[in-house]
Amino acid sequence: KNERGDSIHVSCVSFMEALSASKVAQLGDMSWRRRRVSLPHRQFCIREEKRQAQLSLSEGQFSNRNVGSIEEGLLKGFDEMTTFENKTICLVSRFPFWTAFRRFLSHLHIMSGSPSDLPVERYISHLLLNVPLPEPGGPSI
């Protein structure tokens, strides 16, 4: 409820999206900066560097196998893995149109990932400006 006592309804659709290369680089930069000021993070990075050095030494002994991956391709090395982040699209309304909002948000999520001539903002503005509200109590005949 808001300050006037009106009910507020929120519909959300959550999904996972792969991180872009620029976001991965940004996280790497943040990790490097954090390494200078955070003792636990610095200790973790030192352990990882030692582990990587040991792996590279053992890689020289086993030159016909790729350390960190299985030949059949079932396991990938960390650098080849894709990192995902949680994202959520929310719609806030004074009206409890749960099913319609969920369908709209799912459609919006699908449209945002597909190539289209219309931007996602156009679908949102269409919902807000052009779609009429139903009559209270349902349609009258």
Side-chain angles (χ1 to χ4, degrees):
K1 297 199 179 253
N2 63 8
E3 63 277 352
R4 294 187 316 211
D6 298 335
S7 293
I8 295 181
H9 306 277
V10 180
S11 297
C12 299
V13 171
S14 295
F15 54 94
M16 302 290 282
E17 191 170 273
L19 288 177
S20 64
S22 62
K23 183 83 90 148
V24 171
Q26 180 184 11
L27 289 174
D29 291 342
M30 289 171 56
S31 177
W32 183 253
R33 279 186 262 134
R34 184 174 176 209
R35 181 180 182 169
R36 292 184 300 181
V37 296
S38 170
L39 181 61
H41 191 69
R42 184 180 315 137
Q43 291 171 343
F44 170 78
C45 290
I46 291 170
R47 280 193 311 268
E48 284 300 305
E49 287 173 355
K50 286 179 183 177
R51 189 178 68 77
Q52 290 295 331
Q54 289 173 351
L55 284 176
S56 64
L57 287 177
S58 64
E59 224 175 65
Q61 296 171 357
F62 303 107
S63 60
N64 59 348
R65 290 186 63 197
N66 185 4
V67 175
S69 66
I70 295 175
E71 290 177 15
E72 294 84 26
L74 298 176
L75 178 66
K76 293 183 174 183
F78 182 73
D79 291 338
E80 299 169 356
M81 293 174 62
T82 304
T83 305
F84 291 89
E85 63 181 333
N86 291 323
K87 289 197 171 184
T88 304
I89 305 173
C90 297
L91 198 147
V92 180
S93 174
R94 290 181 286 158
F95 306 102
F97 303 134
W98 307 108
T99 306
F101 289 161
R102 185 176 55 233
R103 275 191 279 155
F104 175 75
L105 290 173
S106 296
H107 177 72
L108 192 64
H109 173 243
I110 291 168
M111 294 305 296
S112 68
S114 64
S116 175
D117 293 336
L118 293 175
V120 174
E121 292 82 4
R122 178 64 182 116
Y123 293 100
I124 297 170
S125 66
H126 178 73
L127 174 74
L128 296 175
L129 302 174
N130 298 337
V131 176
L133 289 174
E135 295 289 327
S140 58
I141 300 178

